[in-house]
Amino acid sequence: DAVLPTIADNQTGDDLWRSASGVYNVDFNDLGGSLLSKFQVKATTGPDQTGILLFDWLDNAAGIGSASYTADWGLQPSTFSLLQSGTNYVSVRVFDYAGNISTATDVFYVRKDTTAPSIPALVSPADKSISNAANTLFDWSDPADDLSGILNYAVLISTADDFSVIASSADAQLSQFGADLASGFYYWKVRSKDNAGNYSAYTSTYSVRVDTAPPAIADNQAGDDAWRRADPGAVYEVDFNDAGGS
């Protein structure tokens, strides 16, 4: 068997930001009869195997023992961990059992981001504040993410300080969220998620009392037909009640 194995690069660059390896469509075939033995991967920070060498020819699959390898494959977790944050260029080489070797440079690139985004800062409603809005607007600052960028925000609103009872939740695209809440006492917190699927820690917890019920007036007093020349004191029966809790 003096025939070189072939590499079919059916994979364009991987433009999704990754916190773990994707799967890639790069196929290998052996036409000489000795069968495929293994294939290896190599990664650099620049194209055409330039820049910083991140790792040099590591086995990605061994003991193949077949004339073809067409299943989509990913980088081993231990190999992916060696990639830099940002863009990485991956080359492959394949071996058959006769010792023939073929190499293909830059079969794909990987954009890696395993760094959590910054924690948002809660803005409003202020902690321990009172709102009379039927739709309460929750607002927070835009956190930083220098690689893949912010995808969305996980918002939790609860009637329990341990968030065991969720009154409202959302994956908000913007740094604010409006919730229709009944009158009551609520706790809320937010965390950010980036485009590689990394989450920040949650913010500290804020509380807000929502009171949309106007106070009530009970007029139990008929007109006072007596003429007065001085303040009679507390003689009028007009009662006031607040059911909203504020």
Side-chain angles (χ1 to χ4, degrees):
D1 178 3
V3 180
L4 295 178
T6 63
I7 301 171
D9 182 8
N10 306 306
Q11 180 69 47
T12 58
D14 184 3
D15 287 320
L16 292 178
W17 285 91
R18 303 283 185 180
S19 58
S21 179
V23 292
Y24 303 104
N25 185 7
V26 179
D27 300 337
F28 309 97
N29 289 279
D30 178 66
L31 304 177
S34 65
L35 304 182
L36 298 172
S37 169
K38 65 181 180 180
F39 72 89
Q40 298 178 325
V41 290
K42 174 182 180 179
T44 57
T45 60
D48 298 321
Q49 301 189 36
T50 62
I52 298 171
L53 176 64
L54 299 170
F55 55 81
D56 193 13
W57 298 127
L58 299 177
D59 287 354
N60 205 74
I64 296 173
S66 173
S68 64
Y69 191 101
T70 58
D72 291 351
W73 51 272
L75 299 175
Q76 299 294 333
S78 58
T79 304
F80 183 86
S81 69
L82 300 175
L83 298 176
Q84 68 165 356
S85 294
T87 303
N88 306 263
Y89 295 87
V90 178
S91 301
V92 298
R93 68 180 181 182
V94 61
F95 298 73
D96 66 18
Y97 280 106
N100 300 303
I101 305 171
S102 294
T103 302
T105 298
D106 296 350
V107 288
F108 57 85
Y109 54 80
V110 178
R111 292 182 172 176
K112 178 183 176 182
D113 179 4
T114 57
T115 303
S118 300
I119 303 171
L122 302 185
V123 175
S124 65
D127 192 22
K128 300 179 177 64
S129 61
I130 299 174
S131 170
N132 64 358
N135 182 276
T136 303
L137 184 64
F138 295 86
D139 189 23
W140 53 91
S141 66
D142 295 318
D145 187 272
D146 295 333
L147 290 171
S148 61
I150 298 297
L151 175 63
N152 57 32
Y153 305 91
V155 187
L156 291 179
I157 304 169
S158 175
T159 54
D161 60 3
D162 62 357
F163 291 85
S164 58
V165 180
I166 301 300
S168 184
S169 64
D171 290 329
Q173 303 300 312
L174 304 175
S175 57
Q176 57 181 213
F177 171 66
D180 294 321
L181 300 173
S183 293
F185 195 80
Y186 296 93
Y187 302 89
W188 67 289
K189 62 182 180 180
V190 179
R191 65 176 178 174
S192 54
K193 179 183 180 181
D194 67 21
N195 284 290
N198 303 301
Y199 284 95
S200 74
Y202 274 106
T203 62
S204 57
T205 299
Y206 274 18
S207 65
V208 59
R209 178 172 292 281
V210 176
D211 181 0
T212 60
I217 301 172
D219 183 5
N220 305 307
Q221 180 66 46
D224 182 3
D225 291 327
W227 290 92
R228 307 286 186 182
R229 65 177 182 178
D231 182 359
V235 298
Y236 302 112
E237 188 182 356
V238 180
D239 300 334
F240 307 95
N241 290 279
D242 178 64
S246 64

